[in-house]
Amino acid sequence: MEKTNTENNQTNLIEVKEEKSNLLSSSLINSITTNFGDQVKLVYKKENRSKIMVSPENLVETALYLRNNHGFDHAESASGTDYPADNQIEINYHLGSYSNTDYYPYILVLSTRVDRTDPKSNSLINIFPSVEYHERETYEMLGVFFLGHPRNERFILPEDWADMPPLRKDFRIKGR
Amino acid sequence: MIKDLVNPTNFNLLVSNIGDVLVKALDAPLGYVINWGRVWSLWPVHLETACCSVEFGAVSSPRYDAERFGILEAFGSLRQCDLIVVQGTVTRKMAPRLRMVYDQMPEPKYVIAMGACAITGGLYLDSYNVLPGIDSIVPVDVYVPGCPPRPETLIQGTMLLQEKIKRSKVK
Amino acid sequence: MNTATGFIKALESGTKHIVLKRFTFRYPQEKLKFVGDGYQFDPKKGVGIAGTRGRHILFHDKCTGCQLCAIACEGIAEAITMVKVDEQWKQNKKSIMPQIDYGKCVFCGLCVDACPFYALYMTNDYELSSFTKSHLIYTPAQLAVKPKYDGEVEIKIGSRGAYHGR
Amino acid sequence: MSSLEEKIDEAKKLSLQITKETEDDRLMTLSVGPQHPGSGHFRFTIKVDGDYIVFVDPDPGYVHRGHEKMCEYRNHFQNIPHLERPVIHDSCNITYAYSLAVEDLVGITVPRRGQFIRALASELSRLSYTLYWLAIYGIFLGHSTMFMWPAGDRELLIDLLERLSGARVTNAFNIPGGVRNDIPYNFKEKCLAQVNYFETRLKEYEDIFYNNPLLRQRTEGVGILTKEDAIKLGVTGSVLRASGVPFDVRKVEPYDVYDEIEFNVQYMKTCDSFARAYVPVLDMRESCHIIRQLLDKMPDSGDVREKLQFNIKSSPGETYKRVESGRGALGYHVVSDGTPRPYRVKASVGSFRNLLALPFLLTGSKLGDMPAIYWSLNYWPVEADR
């Protein structure tokens, strides 16, 4: 008897949790879309994860809004993905929150796409100081120049590295 | 007779002959003593190139205790070291440093390549930043395979090196 | 006062270890006892059998030369190459068998998982150090040899701490 | 007359310039690493003014091997031995995160017994990682006993991991779909005995190391990272918990069976180097507690692995999965285009995130405090470089 009770409780708890996360993410997405309208495009919404796509001009504005109104205070990572077919590079910021307990399990992916031939994007270093090394790594590995970042320079690769950024898709590694 | 001996050229010849005989007589035992000293006091450099350093730490841990073989990690200067254990991957950024460390060590010096990455490049056969083995920058005495090698394998490798030192000729 | 008790406690816990058993085991004389004969894989069930991942052992009477182990290793270390052998086996028409370069092998055991004919296992042998690179390449004939391994000590926990015993 | 005054003025200016130069010369540049007792495969340049550090410039990349690029040329199973190399002594956790991501992309669930076994392996791996870290921290502070004890006790857990998976450190045990093999015969009793013995040893660590007045003097009040700064810098793991944020991925976003396990998130509010050194020990105690529960609740029989094809094709899409590793949240951002190979793999690792705190904490502190601060950040250079 007791066992079944606890099981029920557990399933209830899980349902409550899921409902809560759903509510949270839909309220978050709603507030973003009401504020920004067509400027922000929702890419996917999963449990505790969602991804929004903004244009490079609106990146700073959106990030500022997310930090001030929803408590996203740090970025877990900033990375880039190369799409040579679209001639674009996608920059992803995985934003998380330590100050808002409701958003502890939540990761919001803020992404933008820049032109591949001359990739330039606004740096978020003034909004999230935690992206400093991640952006520097992205500059090095994908060649994206971050406007406003104090040090767009060599970080991890050898000092005499003279080849193209290695994470570009057309950078061939030996034997492949 | 005595005059002949006192004659400087002859005297020098005699001394040099005695010296040659002495060197020949003492060469084997002295070399043995010197080699014995070298065998039981291998001091490795504290240079960690990559992740094999974890198992190198385990070799000095109480369970394996490499000090039984005279291998004591020297926390002093490079000038006191005579063994360099290349602990894993050597990247293009680390390679000049490795050679610099090797050049600073006094003769005689020995190199153990620890792990698949140090021997041939291992997993990183197509990486853009990894050397395919360290043979191209330093001469290697003993290869210790594994990724990372078990501490036993490294101890076996150092025992092989000790065997090599015992048989080598002292200059 | 607090400082003094701190020092005394630290000294006390250190000196206790004088009477405890030593944890070191004398490697070349004693060897560790492992679970079973080495890592094996059961392709019917699709799960492995726990064991140490040391040098491989190849059963010549079961190997069909299908190259699945080499394909599995292709993206990992490229340690396995298929070489021609002189033997004639009914199941191995091409008479090719894996040759393993231990200078490249990382002992992950995915080649064992890939073998569908129970032909490739791993053993407890780990003493592979050598003076030259070419000695690290094991031909099919060398791989067929079952290593002699007589490990007998393992970790025991008693009233005087952890130690290695039979 | 005037010429003389001019000359005097010039001389004054010159002397001023000279004094200025000498003031600048007071700043001395030091290069720490990569061949240096106590920096490992990492280098940073510091400028010191007397005894105080005024400028720090980290220079990582000595073990950069390009994992993220190489992953794009291998399938999901072949990636497993690759991805565990950054932290070989915490390999079960780093493959755990990647397995979760691939399972999410393929859309399968792992059998219940498999979930328990891989949680067990990851806890053992976390313990052995933390002990290795503690050993190095001990020798950084010149405490030789604290190198020997954790390095010796680590072997107890390594022994268990070896029984379980077959390798000492590079286990390649947690794979997409579950674990490689079932637990061997007689494992539970052995595991309980060794973990219980290990827990009694933790008390001795406190006596000889943490309550040692010498260590306390060197670490207490050194390198203070306040809660606000910790949040701003986005640090993770024990560094974050030592600054008073109770954030543990196992608790806030339970994966696999962690929602059935009872444990507390350990954190401290003193924010100093001592807290960062002490939180991992509290964590180790919780891990022992978790291991006992896992062994207790584990189903006695059942599958351990969902059999997947070697060349499994995942559906196009992307995912971000994270676990709590020895160094904090460890996330994998995997993008798939429908082929057996991932299109892009990005690892968000704790070490790289904690590196940002290094210049922040070292600037303004004394040179002698450098070892106490540097290794308290739970930083493993190989992982940060990837």
Side-chain angles (χ1 to χ4, degrees):
Chain A
M1 192 60 203
E2 274 180 40
K3 232 181 183 177
T4 49
N5 260 339
T6 50
E7 272 175 11
N8 278 338
N9 276 342
Q10 268 185 3
T11 47
N12 278 342
L13 263 177
I14 290 166
E15 275 170 17
V16 165
K17 260 186 186 171
E18 276 180 8
E19 270 177 22
K20 207 179 162 190
S21 89
N22 276 336
L23 263 176
L24 206 70
S25 67
S26 41
S27 76
L28 172 71
I29 300 297
N30 277 341
S31 87
I32 294 170
T33 41
T34 47
N35 234 297
F36 290 97
D38 291 343
Q39 291 175 4
V40 173
K41 205 175 76 189
L42 179 69
V43 181
Y44 67 75
K45 197 174 85 178
K46 291 183 196 167
E47 190 197 345
N48 286 336
R49 303 276 185 277
S50 50
K51 180 178 176 178
I52 52 172
M53 178 79 78
V54 296
S55 62
E57 300 86 51
N58 298 325
L59 182 69
V60 176
E61 198 185 340
T62 323
L64 205 61
Y65 171 78
L66 285 171
R67 189 192 72 177
N68 292 342
N69 297 29
H70 292 280
F72 286 102
D73 48 27
H74 71 282
E76 286 216 342
S77 80
S79 65
T81 314
D82 188 15
Y83 292 99
D86 308 344
N87 199 25
Q88 276 173 332
I89 288 177
E90 187 178 284
I91 303 163
N92 299 315
Y93 293 92
H94 290 84
L95 306 180
S97 174
Y98 288 148
S99 44
N100 189 346
T101 1
D102 291 340
Y103 283 126
Y104 265 10
Y106 206 85
I107 296 283
L108 181 72
V109 190
L110 176 66
S111 70
T112 181
R113 287 198 173 207
V114 293
D115 186 33
R116 192 167 173 277
T117 43
D118 184 23
K120 269 181 192 153
S121 174
N122 288 315
S123 170
L124 295 189
I125 189 164
N126 295 324
I127 300 161
F128 306 114
S130 52
V131 298
E132 183 181 342
Y133 288 165
H134 292 285
E135 280 186 349
R136 213 169 139 186
E137 193 201 353
T138 311
Y139 164 74
E140 188 174 40
M141 295 292 171
L142 283 138
V144 183
F145 192 86
F146 286 96
L147 301 163
H149 193 286
R151 296 184 77 178
N152 277 313
E153 51 185 67
R154 184 73 58 244
F155 191 44
I156 282 176
L157 289 175
E159 298 90 335
D160 56 346
W161 182 265
D163 213 333
M164 64 189 299
L167 278 180
R168 292 274 184 105
K169 282 284 169 187
D170 44 3
F171 177 84
R172 291 278 156 206
I173 54 179
K174 51 191 170 191
R176 306 275 167 180
Chain B
M1 183 71 190
I2 295 168
K3 246 186 182 179
D4 280 355
L5 262 181
V6 171
N7 184 4
T9 48
N10 277 354
F11 185 72
N12 278 355
L13 209 71
L14 186 73
V15 168
S16 67
N17 277 344
I18 292 170
D20 276 2
V21 170
L22 268 178
V23 163
K24 266 187 188 163
L26 286 179
D27 190 28
L30 242 161
Y32 181 81
V33 169
I34 290 171
N35 273 342
W36 182 84
R38 279 176 187 163
V39 160
W40 298 110
S41 63
L42 288 170
W43 279 26
V45 184
H46 193 98
L47 174 74
E48 294 147 343
T49 51
C51 40
C52 281
S53 60
V54 174
E55 287 300 80
F56 194 76
V59 170
S60 351
S61 82
R63 193 184 194 180
Y64 294 98
D65 192 16
E67 270 185 64
R68 289 182 293 144
F69 304 94
I71 303 158
L72 178 61
E73 199 156 334
F75 272 73
S77 161
L78 286 174
R79 306 274 180 200
Q80 306 165 357
C81 301
D82 53 0
L83 171 66
I84 177 164
V85 182
V86 182
Q87 299 159 15
T89 325
V90 178
T91 56
R92 278 180 46 194
K93 200 170 178 176
M94 187 62 108
R97 274 87 174 174
L98 174 65
R99 182 68 211 189
M100 216 185 279
V101 167
Y102 180 79
D103 286 342
Q104 282 181 57
M105 285 159 58
E107 290 281 350
K109 46 196 171 188
Y110 311 101
V111 180
I112 292 181
M114 180 185 180
C117 305
I119 300 172
T120 59
L123 279 169
Y124 305 97
L125 49 114
D126 55 354
S127 172
Y128 51 82
N129 204 24
V130 174
L131 293 190
I134 56 162
D135 300 45
S136 51
I137 46 172
V138 288
V140 182
D141 290 296
V142 175
Y143 297 92
V144 182
C147 190
R150 292 180 64 87
E152 287 104 324
T153 319
L154 183 61
I155 291 175
Q156 189 221 346
T158 39
M159 279 156 66
L160 282 183
L161 179 67
Q162 288 174 340
E163 204 64 28
K164 189 173 183 173
I165 297 170
K166 267 183 205 165
R167 287 172 192 187
S168 67
K169 207 170 174 225
V170 179
K171 279 167 198 168
Chain C
M1 197 59 213
N2 212 351
T3 317
T5 47
F7 278 129
I8 289 165
K9 267 198 168 176
L11 279 173
E12 187 204 339
S13 69
T15 41
K16 247 191 315 189
H17 280 257
I18 294 170
V19 293
L20 292 189
K21 283 198 169 181
R22 69 172 157 78
F23 190 51
T24 311
F25 80 102
R26 311 195 163 194
Y27 156 64
Q29 293 88 31
E30 297 172 336
K31 282 177 185 175
L32 279 182
K33 187 181 171 190
F34 295 128
V35 180
D37 284 341
Y39 180 74
Q40 301 173 356
F41 190 76
D42 189 354
K44 269 186 195 156
K45 279 187 194 164
V47 288
I49 298 158
T52 302
R53 299 209 287 260
R55 171 173 85 70
H56 296 76
I57 183 164
L58 177 72
F59 298 103
H60 284 221
D61 52 341
K62 285 176 185 161
C63 182
T64 59
C66 65
Q67 307 187 19
L68 278 177
C69 48
I71 291 167
C73 198
E74 199 179 10
I76 299 169
E78 288 186 10
I80 299 181
T81 43
M82 303 305 285
V83 292
K84 257 208 147 19
V85 287
D86 295 336
E87 307 157 46
Q88 294 291 326
W89 293 97
K90 218 195 316 175
Q91 83 277 11
N92 200 339
K93 290 268 163 53
K94 284 184 266 180
S95 60
I96 48 171
M97 278 180 195
Q99 162 184 298
I100 302 178
D101 180 359
Y102 285 101
K104 291 176 180 171
C105 181
V106 296
F107 300 92
C108 63
L110 284 175
C111 47
V112 178
D113 286 17
C115 182
F117 303 108
Y118 305 90
L120 196 65
Y121 284 157
M122 291 178 120
T123 63
N124 289 333
D125 185 19
Y126 48 73
E127 293 170 329
L128 303 166
S129 305
S130 81
F131 290 124
T132 54
K133 260 187 189 177
S134 52
H135 276 93
L136 293 174
I137 299 171
Y138 278 55
T139 56
Q142 279 172 302
L143 286 176
V145 182
K146 197 179 179 198
K148 272 185 195 164
Y149 187 82
D150 48 350
E152 44 199 8
V153 293
E154 55 181 342
I155 291 182
K156 296 261 163 76
I157 285 160
S159 54
R160 281 167 67 198
Y163 61 97
H164 284 87
R166 272 147 218 268
Chain D
M1 203 47 188
S2 61
S3 62
L4 188 68
E5 278 174 356
E6 276 170 13
K7 270 183 184 172
I8 290 168
D9 277 354
E10 269 178 24
K12 269 185 185 172
K13 272 179 196 167
L14 210 68
S15 72
L16 267 177
Q17 271 177 6
I18 288 164
T19 46
K20 256 189 187 173
E21 271 176 17
T22 45
E23 266 175 11
D24 284 342
D25 282 347
R26 276 175 58 202
L27 295 185
M28 190 164 70
T29 311
L30 294 177
S31 167
V32 186
Q35 196 280 320
H36 186 271
S39 82
H41 6 60
F42 177 56
R43 167 173 174 255
F44 48 98
T45 333
I46 55 177
K47 276 187 183 162
V48 285
D49 180 3
D51 206 13
Y52 289 91
I53 300 171
V54 291
F55 176 74
V56 184
D57 186 20
D59 176 22
Y62 287 90
V63 211
H64 174 67
R65 299 180 281 200
H67 282 115
E68 290 173 4
K69 181 75 179 175
M70 287 161 73
C71 280
E72 294 167 12
Y73 296 90
R74 284 155 175 82
N75 69 33
H76 294 307
F77 279 99
Q78 288 168 335
N79 275 337
I80 288 292
H82 264 275
L83 287 171
E84 68 183 8
R85 255 68 195 176
V87 206
I88 55 170
H89 45 322
D90 195 12
S91 61
C92 287
N93 273 313
I94 201 160
T95 48
Y96 204 159
Y98 187 73
S99 304
L100 285 174
V102 174
E103 281 153 19
D104 189 43
L105 282 173
V106 178
I108 53 159
T109 49
V110 177
R112 199 170 148 74
R113 190 172 156 84
Q115 292 184 2
F116 272 99
I117 294 176
R118 69 180 183 182
L120 178 69
S122 82
E123 287 300 326
L124 287 171
S125 168
R126 185 196 327 279
L127 277 177
S128 76
Y129 169 79
T130 316
L131 280 171
Y132 184 80
W133 167 83
L134 189 55
I136 304 292
Y137 191 61
I139 206 146
F140 260 43
L141 296 177
H143 200 302
S144 289
T145 313
M146 212 48 202
F147 170 74
M148 289 299 172
W149 283 12
D153 291 336
R154 176 173 165 263
E155 298 288 334
L156 292 170
L157 304 150
I158 292 280
D159 189 67
L160 289 174
L161 269 176
E162 193 190 337
R163 276 166 188 283
L164 193 60
S165 69
R168 277 173 57 86
V169 279
T170 45
N171 307 94
F173 188 59
N174 296 350
I175 51 167
V179 293
R180 293 273 291 278
N181 55 265
D182 208 337
I183 56 173
Y185 171 73
N186 217 354
F187 180 77
K188 273 189 186 177
E189 293 77 23
K190 197 103 188 157
C191 185
L192 265 182
Q194 296 192 8
V195 168
N196 285 344
Y197 171 73
F198 167 67
E199 213 179 0
T200 59
R201 296 276 293 153
L202 279 178
K203 282 171 201 145
E204 295 187 40
Y205 289 0
E206 281 188 11
D207 280 345
I208 206 165
F209 193 62
Y210 288 103
N211 291 335
N212 194 331
L214 287 176
L215 179 98
R216 290 220 165 207
Q217 273 183 4
R218 281 197 72 176
T219 53
E220 270 183 350
V222 167
I224 288 186
L225 183 71
T226 57
K227 191 174 174 179
E228 289 73 36
D229 290 333
I231 289 172
K232 205 177 74 185
L233 295 174
V235 294
T236 180
S238 58
V239 182
L240 180 69
R241 289 199 289 277
S243 295
V245 184
F247 184 90
D248 188 318
V249 181
R250 289 175 290 174
K251 200 76 177 178
V252 300
E253 193 193 350
Y255 45 95
D256 277 4
V257 291
Y258 278 103
D259 47 353
E260 301 168 28
I261 307 290
E262 286 169 18
F263 68 101
N264 299 320
V265 180
Q266 301 286 354
Y267 67 104
M268 283 173 83
K269 286 179 179 168
T270 46
C271 307
D272 55 358
S273 193
F274 180 77
R276 288 195 290 276
Y278 195 56
V279 163
V281 171
L282 297 173
D283 278 352
M284 278 200 272
R285 233 175 245 144
E286 289 298 323
S287 281
C288 292
H289 192 49
I290 291 171
I291 286 172
R292 276 196 291 275
Q293 286 185 54
L294 284 170
L295 286 173
D296 190 37
K297 291 186 177 174
M298 188 187 290
D300 287 331
S301 58
D303 284 343
V304 295
R305 178 179 182 178
E306 185 76 30
K307 185 73 178 151
L308 293 177
Q309 272 182 323
F310 188 66
N311 259 336
I312 181 80
K313 278 184 188 173
S314 55
S315 50
E318 58 184 280
T319 186
Y320 184 80
K321 283 279 174 188
R322 54 180 180 172
V323 300
E324 180 76 17
S325 73
R327 297 151 310 288
L330 191 155
Y332 271 107
H333 175 231
V334 183
V335 184
S336 169
D337 58 349
T339 54
R341 293 163 178 180
Y343 187 76
R344 170 89 164 94
V345 176
K346 161 79 185 171
S348 163
V349 288
S351 301
F352 195 65
R353 290 168 64 189
N354 288 349
L355 178 60
L356 200 58
L358 181 75
F360 184 83
L361 289 179
L362 279 185
T363 313
S365 71
K366 280 187 179 174
L367 186 62
D369 293 337
M370 194 184 71
I373 292 172
Y374 167 50
W375 206 253
S376 77
L377 287 176
N378 214 338
Y379 175 68
W380 181 241
V382 189
E383 189 195 41
D385 299 347
R386 295 186 296 281

